[in-house]
Amino acid sequence: MSGHKHKKQFGQNFLNNPNVIHNIVAAIAPQPDQHLVEIGPGEAALTEPLLDRVAKLDIIEIDRDLIPALTRRFGHKPTFHLHNTDALKFDYRQLLANPSDKLRLVGNLPYNISSPLIFHLIEQADIVSDMHFMLQKEVVERLTATPGNKAFGRLSVMVQYACQAEYLFTVGPENFTPAPKVDSAIVRLIPYAQPPFQANHFGDFAALVKQAFSQKRKTLRNTLKNWLTTEQIVQCDIDPGLRAEALDVADFVRLANLYSQIKQEQG
Ligand code: SAM
């Protein structure tokens, strides 16, 4: 597919190293009975090796200039199902053949939309068995960071509430055309069937986490002052003098559940 002009607005950095492509496919470990969804096939670096190894591959690509070549090369394969649309707005549930079906999501994601895309996918995590994504290394560090780590923030808490997150390996800029300015990495996210710490009201939990990290240098006593009193924070077994970055997912769930309870009692 020579001649395609890489589009920066779509984050088009295409994989060029067969060894890296092999390692990513090996990490995904596709099986013949599985239903995969690839976000952003580009020129099919990952699509091609995946197509012959799975039962079904739905492919979501926003750039209509890439569609004719993809269709020409793979349109005859029974596993190939192409959707020329925006992965950020896509309803993944429509891909399920039956309600017990689960999707495996993969992709070398466009970096400019990776955080909103992950938030969008987490909302549909009940129909996803796992995700393997290439992202900016810094984003993978945030997804997999533990409390107290510099990279730990709102994205870490929200993703780790819903998924087990694992840093797999780093991929240098030289493995892409054109080369990005930063390192990339592969992350594996496995949604929990049941989150280990359950927020009673997910919207409150998401809003409280956002508020707690809104001013990273301030203590919880300050950032949450319109949400919970100092005594209420202590009641959750949390030191109000801590910053959000010191708390784990379970701590945030306790705070959010107390907040939801108080809100409900106050009508
Ligand atoms: N998978 C190819 C590879 O590894 O060489 C291409 C990866 S490239 C980093 C990202 C791909 O996502 C591009 O093909 C781009 O056009 C596509 N893309 C960008 N934004 C998108 C969106 N919102 N929805 C679907 N695809 C998108």
Side-chain angles (χ1 to χ4, degrees):
M1 274 191 240
S2 57
H4 178 75
K5 197 165 168 331
H6 297 101
K7 295 189 185 137
K8 210 170 164 191
Q9 84 267 29
F10 291 145
Q12 291 181 349
N13 301 97
F14 294 156
L15 280 164
N16 61 24
N17 182 339
N19 293 328
V20 171
I21 294 166
H22 172 86
N23 291 343
I24 296 170
V25 174
I28 297 169
Q31 301 300 316
D33 59 341
Q34 293 176 340
H35 184 175
L36 270 66
V37 180
E38 188 194 3
I39 298 172
E43 293 184 332
L46 295 171
T47 320
E48 186 164 30
L50 289 173
L51 268 174
D52 292 330
R53 290 175 164 83
V54 298
K56 187 171 183 192
L57 184 62
D58 279 292
I59 300 148
I60 302 167
E61 173 58 63
I62 199 169
D63 184 357
R64 63 172 178 215
D65 291 346
L66 291 168
I67 302 302
L70 286 168
T71 309
R72 203 163 45 243
R73 283 174 71 191
F74 307 113
H76 61 284
K77 293 198 181 251
T79 50
F80 177 84
H81 300 269
L82 183 56
H83 309 262
N84 180 203
T85 185
D86 184 347
L88 268 179
K89 299 193 180 128
F90 194 72
D91 171 15
Y92 294 81
R93 210 167 287 276
Q94 68 179 275
L95 301 177
L96 300 180
N98 61 66
S100 61
D101 194 11
K102 292 248 181 189
L103 305 171
R104 303 192 67 203
L105 307 185
V106 305
N108 170 13
L109 296 188
Y111 294 163
N112 46 349
I113 61 158
S114 57
S115 293
L117 186 56
I118 286 175
F119 275 108
H120 179 61
L121 297 173
I122 294 289
E123 282 169 20
Q124 305 181 49
D126 59 310
I127 55 161
V128 174
S129 60
D130 62 13
M131 307 178 236
H132 290 81
F133 292 138
M134 172 109 71
L135 301 161
Q136 257 175 270
K137 181 179 174 205
E138 183 237 312
V139 176
V140 176
E141 284 171 347
R142 283 163 55 200
L143 293 175
T144 55
T146 48
N149 185 306
K150 202 163 82 26
F152 189 75
R154 178 178 166 227
L155 189 64
S156 327
V157 176
M158 295 312 295
V159 166
Q160 291 172 27
Y161 172 82
C163 304
Q164 191 190 319
E166 190 183 349
Y167 188 115
L168 295 186
F169 53 89
T170 308
V171 180
E174 68 283 5
N175 298 295
F176 301 85
T177 306
K181 290 199 176 65
V182 293
D183 273 339
S184 303
I186 302 283
V187 68
R188 175 182 291 145
L189 302 173
I190 306 179
Y192 295 115
Q194 194 67 39
F197 310 101
Q198 184 82 48
N200 294 334
H201 186 295
F202 183 78
D204 286 347
F205 169 72
L208 184 136
V209 171
K210 188 173 180 187
Q211 173 63 22
F213 281 104
S214 60
Q215 291 160 295
K216 278 198 97 174
R217 306 203 60 78
K218 291 205 170 169
T219 62
L220 297 167
R221 182 187 287 117
N222 283 306
T223 50
L224 296 181
K225 67 171 182 285
N226 296 328
W227 298 59
L228 293 166
T229 64
T230 302
E231 293 70 29
Q232 287 163 344
I233 296 174
V234 171
Q235 196 186 319
C236 296
D237 270 335
I238 293 163
D239 175 356
L242 291 176
R243 293 177 184 157
E245 68 200 23
L247 271 53
D248 61 18
V249 173
D251 294 330
F252 281 110
V253 168
R254 284 203 306 286
L255 288 170
N257 284 350
L258 180 60
Y259 169 73
S260 299
Q261 185 193 328
I262 293 165
K263 204 172 75 167
Q264 201 179 10
E265 284 166 3
Q266 289 171 349

